[in-house]
Amino acid sequence: MTTPAAVIVDEAAYAQAVEDAVNASAAYYASGTSALDDETYDRLVRGIAAWEAAHPDQVLPDSPTGKVAGGAVEGDVPHTVAMLSLDNVFSPEEFTAWTASLARRIGHQVERFSVEPKLDGLAIAARYTRGRLTKLITRGDGTAGEDVSHSIGTIEGLPRELTEPVTVEVRGEVLMTTAQFEQANEVRTAHGGQPFANPRNAAAGTLRAKERAYTVPMTFFGYGLLALPDTDTTLAKQLGERAHSDLMAQAAALGVNTTATTAVPGITSETVEEVLARVKEIAAVRAELPFGIDGIVIKADLAADQQAAGAGTRAPRWAIAYKLPAVEKITRLLDVEWNVGRTGIIAPRAVLEPVEIDGSTITYATLHNPADITRRDLRLGDHVMVRRAGDVIPRIEAPVAHLRTGDEQPIIFPEICPRCGASIDTSEQRWRCANGRNCHLVASLSYAAGRDQLDIEGLGATRVIQLVETGLVTDLADLFTLTRDQLLALERMGETSTDNLLAAISAAKAQPLSRVLCALGVRGTGRSMSRRIARHFATMDAIRAADAETMQQVEGIGTEKAPSIVAELAELAPLIDKLAAAGVNMTEPGATPPVPASDAAESGSQTDDAQGGPLTGMTVVVTGTMTGPLEALSRNQMNELIERAGGRSSSSVSKKTSLVVAGEGAGSKRTKAETLGIRLATPDEFAALVANHLN
Ligand code: IVH
């Protein structure tokens, strides 16, 4: 679980690391934003510490290892007792070692531990005078902090008045729950502000902001209760002698919020094993908590143990933070994809520069809906804070606005359904294809009718939508049983267009198997793969009889693709049967089915390329505009022709190319062929060569 420390190789790198850490820390404490995410900052500081351990004479005075995290800001209020930070452990072994060293220090085993979540917010000291909340101070540099008393009244769990008129200081963490964070960003962007990158930044920014036209609530959890100089001496003595768990109960009784109100209340444990079990429990529910935690804090519970352990300048020796893996990282938003779900919901998905979070590489994150993108003011190229907790789908918290360079581009929203081309219903937050649940069917039918598949002229998207909406077509096969009367009954369907469409549908029945297969839209089998499969197996029956191993005999189909193609074809079996029953051709002209493996040894097997055509064994590239007998052929049809004639088509010229068919306007591919000394043919020459295969 421990992330490695940054590796610092020389003094210059050390100085740079110190500077980066100081800048990040200063930015964080001044504005609640940082160019470094937590884990990167931790790694850097540990790298700095490692270098300093090996080069104690070179330690720089402003190194972040030497002081309490954070920097004092001018005008700070002194703390009566320093607000310390915590040392970290990252594994059960490190934790056990810490307990052993603590036992050595105090001369006996720690009697009892208190175990509570490490809340991911900002430390704050709340001073109560005779029961009234009078001052709120941030941690600052630990010895003095900023007066943020203007926030009194906006923090849930920190009442203006305690249940008893006591003078005490409550210490704890101010944070925003997920709901508060979302509300904060909504309000902030509505007022023209930049959204906060994450709940902690939001809490930091909100706490420090003095004059705001609006208030956004935050939440407080207490983790300390201590006397102030004015505290009644009896109470002061009591507070100094009480166990941490008792102080927490006392704080709760005074009306202050503590972790006792959460799903992960502070508990006490007698043994290391019990503590570690609790650490596991808390880690397991982390993702479901309505607030962020970045670890578990374990404290010696008894005041006597704490006093015996004492404190260093940075952290007490009686407490430790058991850090959980970071769940947030900063990365860049590269693109936004729009995916259409089964019900027609059009959902944006962020494509990220890959980033590792807690052991997995994250490349995509959910973006919910277009309004969400607008609300967060996301732009392409933005640095974004990505959060992945547990098994939850990673999400973008917000752009890190201060890292903007000005080169960021707006995210373009689709104007038509990216799958079927219909209009989009934008009346709800979640956009939906106007075809709703039919979107997928419309898209797959339009694809099947396309020029490179069944080539059914007159069956454009509008007509397909009409056929689907009227219920006349529920799958591809239904097209082939449409009647003249059914079509004539449709709006905007005259006799001529009906007859033309029926003729085109009828002609489509005779398309070669490769195109029928392509029309089925099996994932991973586009035009050229469909041709290869069809030429290899020659009949649909042979394709359907193939298992994953046999499927791999087709060039370009490997161990990964083969099973998914086989499985998808099995799923499509009813549709294929229906198509065959409707008279759709299921054979590939010119191809012969492969000899089954058992017979191959006797009769000698053949491969799908070796058809004895004029292009056998040749790789052919077509470039420029085709003329003469080839004029009407699309690129796809040219490729089909090449393959029918025994060759292989390719789109780029290389040393492996055998022939380049260069039509009018051929450019760089022709030049490259000349340079490499590759045989060139005009469209007419090529047409003559493959004359027997032109149909
Ligand atoms: S005890 C003297 N308990 O973590 C002991 N701190 O990384 C100091 N924190 O500065 C704090 N949850 O802001 C304590 N349950 C908890 C905590 C907690 C969060 C924060 C606190 C501290 C920082 C150290």
Side-chain angles (χ1 to χ4, degrees):
M1 247 155 74
T2 314
T3 49
V7 177
I8 294 175
V9 290
D10 57 23
E11 203 179 342
Y14 165 69
Q16 184 63 54
V18 169
E19 191 183 322
D20 290 349
V22 167
N23 286 343
S25 166
Y28 176 72
Y29 281 94
S31 63
T33 55
S34 164
L36 302 180
D37 51 63
D38 270 10
E39 190 174 304
T40 314
Y41 181 80
D42 269 8
R43 270 166 50 84
L44 195 61
V45 174
R46 275 185 285 127
I48 291 170
W51 169 270
E52 290 174 353
H55 307 86
D57 52 321
Q58 291 173 7
V59 175
L60 291 169
D62 53 350
S63 163
T65 57
K67 56 174 186 172
V68 179
V73 183
E74 263 180 62
D76 279 355
V77 182
H79 290 297
T80 51
V81 176
M83 283 188 87
L84 297 181
S85 185
L86 290 167
D87 286 332
N88 299 324
V89 291
F90 295 88
S91 65
E93 296 72 31
E94 284 180 25
F95 174 68
T96 310
W98 173 77
T99 58
S101 77
L102 180 54
R104 274 196 304 277
R105 183 177 287 277
I106 64 176
H108 55 84
Q109 294 295 329
V110 170
E111 193 147 318
R112 198 167 67 206
F113 294 102
S114 96
V115 191
E116 53 196 30
K118 184 172 187 302
L119 305 146
D120 195 6
L122 296 108
I124 199 162
R127 291 189 185 163
Y128 283 91
T129 314
R130 290 181 296 283
R132 281 194 72 82
L133 181 52
T134 46
K135 229 180 217 347
L136 279 184
I137 314 153
T138 65
R139 182 173 64 181
D141 70 351
T143 57
E146 191 180 354
D147 187 336
V148 287
S149 305
H150 54 265
S151 290
I152 291 176
T154 66
I155 306 174
E156 286 168 21
L158 206 47
R160 284 178 190 274
E161 196 114 19
L162 295 176
T163 55
E164 284 177 49
V166 286
T167 298
V168 286
E169 182 167 292
V170 182
R171 289 184 177 182
E173 206 81 349
V174 174
L175 50 73
M176 276 195 194
T177 61
T178 314
Q180 285 171 336
F181 169 59
E182 274 160 16
Q183 193 195 337
N185 271 353
E186 228 161 273
V187 175
R188 191 167 153 93
T189 44
H191 281 80
Q194 294 289 345
F196 292 114
N198 61 13
R200 196 178 52 175
N201 289 356
T206 306
L207 192 64
R208 299 186 70 246
K210 279 202 178 116
E211 279 141 30
R212 278 275 164 80
Y214 51 93
T215 55
V216 269
M218 292 170 279
T219 300
F220 177 84
F221 290 99
Y223 54 65
L225 182 64
L226 57 150
L228 284 165
D230 293 343
T231 304
D232 165 87
T233 43
T234 325
L235 177 60
K237 188 161 180 289
Q238 241 186 30
L239 293 175
E241 290 168 354
R242 286 217 159 137
H244 176 72
S245 51
D246 292 335
L247 290 174
M248 288 302 93
Q250 193 170 351
L254 286 171
V256 169
N257 190 34
T258 68
T259 59
T261 61
T262 72
V264 283
I267 60 154
T268 57
S269 299
E270 311 273 309
T271 65
V272 170
E273 290 69 36
E274 262 178 58
V275 172
L276 290 174
R278 181 65 179 163
V279 166
K280 265 197 179 170
E281 274 173 18
I282 296 180
V285 297
R286 179 189 196 186
E288 283 96 62
L289 294 175
F291 47 82
I293 64 168
D294 58 344
I296 291 99
V297 182
I298 301 118
K299 302 169 180 170
D301 194 41
L302 300 193
D305 283 355
Q306 293 184 4
Q307 274 147 24
T313 50
R314 198 189 93 92
R317 299 202 179 89
W318 47 266
I320 196 87
Y322 190 122
K323 291 282 274 218
L324 293 176
V327 289
E328 278 184 346
K329 282 275 181 74
I330 293 173
T331 185
R332 288 184 67 216
L333 175 62
L334 302 179
D335 199 3
V336 173
E337 289 177 356
W338 298 85
N339 297 317
V340 192
R342 265 195 307 164
T343 57
I345 295 286
I346 301 171
R349 180 166 85 151
V351 183
L352 306 170
E353 203 165 85
V355 61
E356 201 187 298
I357 304 182
D358 190 12
S360 347
T361 304
I362 310 295
T363 329
Y364 298 104
T366 169
L367 280 172
H368 305 291
N369 54 55
D372 198 48
I373 294 177
T374 311
R375 190 166 52 231
R376 298 185 209 205
D377 187 26
L378 283 169
R379 301 176 201 170
L380 294 182
D382 257 336
H383 284 83
V384 289
M385 186 68 85
V386 179
R387 179 181 184 82
R388 173 186 170 268
D391 295 330
V392 180
I393 304 169
R395 57 179 238 142
I396 289 186
E397 300 258 76
V400 186
H402 72 284
L403 291 180
R404 283 201 170 139
T405 60
D407 292 337
E408 293 75 19
Q409 296 297 318
I411 292 168
I412 309 290
F413 291 179
E415 285 176 359
I416 51 168
C417 169
R419 187 163 61 188
C420 76
S423 60
I424 301 179
D425 174 0
T426 60
S427 60
E428 306 272 329
Q429 279 225 333
R430 300 205 304 171
W431 286 11
R432 197 157 179 217
C433 165
N435 283 319
R437 286 180 186 279
N438 287 331
C439 169
H440 186 68
L441 178 60
V442 169
S444 55
L445 288 175
S446 303
Y447 174 75
R451 190 170 174 210
D452 291 337
Q453 287 68 245
L454 297 179
D455 194 15
I456 308 178
E457 226 188 298
L459 196 55
T462 326
R463 192 66 73 205
V464 170
I465 292 171
Q466 209 180 12
L467 290 171
V468 169
E469 274 177 358
T470 50
L472 287 178
V473 173
T474 61
D475 64 24
L476 180 58
D478 285 347
L479 280 179
F480 297 97
T481 50
L482 284 171
T483 65
R484 194 164 189 272
D485 288 344
Q486 283 174 330
L487 290 178
L488 275 174
L490 293 175
E491 269 177 44
R492 303 181 304 279
M493 224 21 202
E495 298 222 346
T496 318
S497 36
T498 297
D499 290 337
N500 286 346
L501 182 55
L502 281 172
I505 292 173
S506 178
K509 289 185 191 170
Q511 288 288 7
L513 173 62
S514 55
R515 284 172 166 251
V516 176
L517 183 62
C518 192
L520 290 173
V522 177
R523 249 163 298 162
T525 63
R527 287 171 307 199
S528 70
M529 180 61 80
S530 296
R531 283 200 301 271
R532 258 179 275 155
I533 297 173
R535 293 200 66 76
H536 181 90
F537 291 104
T539 68
M540 184 61 99
D541 285 344
I543 297 177
R544 290 166 74 176
D547 57 13
E549 203 179 315
T550 317
M551 193 56 80
Q552 280 175 56
Q553 289 169 3
V554 179
E555 193 204 325
I557 300 187
T559 47
E560 233 170 81
K561 229 181 203 181
S564 78
I565 294 176
V566 170
E568 231 180 294
L569 281 166
E571 257 177 57
L572 288 167
L575 177 62
I576 297 171
D577 288 340
K578 206 169 155 188
L579 285 166
V584 174
N585 167 53
M586 292 289 165
T587 59
E588 186 68 1
T592 12
V595 183
S598 51
D599 308 340
E602 293 148 41
S603 52
S605 68
Q606 50 147 64
T607 73
D608 42 325
D609 298 337
Q611 303 290 321
L615 302 179
T616 300
M618 292 173 72
T619 301
V620 183
V621 174
V622 179
T623 181
T625 311
M626 294 300 106
T627 47
L630 307 179
E631 191 175 349
L633 300 192
S634 68
R635 230 7 140 238
N636 184 55
Q637 287 170 319
M638 280 298 287
N639 292 341
E640 286 175 336
L641 173 59
I642 291 165
E643 288 169 24
R644 272 202 308 276
R648 186 181 309 223
S649 59
S650 167
S651 56
S652 59
V653 179
S654 75
K655 272 189 258 169
K656 288 190 192 144
T657 311
S658 329
L659 174 69
V660 172
V661 185
E664 264 172 30
S668 63
K669 288 185 190 175
R670 181 198 185 107
T671 320
K672 190 163 179 193
E674 283 167 353
T675 320
L676 294 173
I678 291 163
R679 183 178 154 198
L680 281 160
T682 63
D684 282 344
E685 287 164 351
F686 184 71
L689 185 64
V690 296
N692 288 341
H693 297 269
L694 272 169
N695 45 20

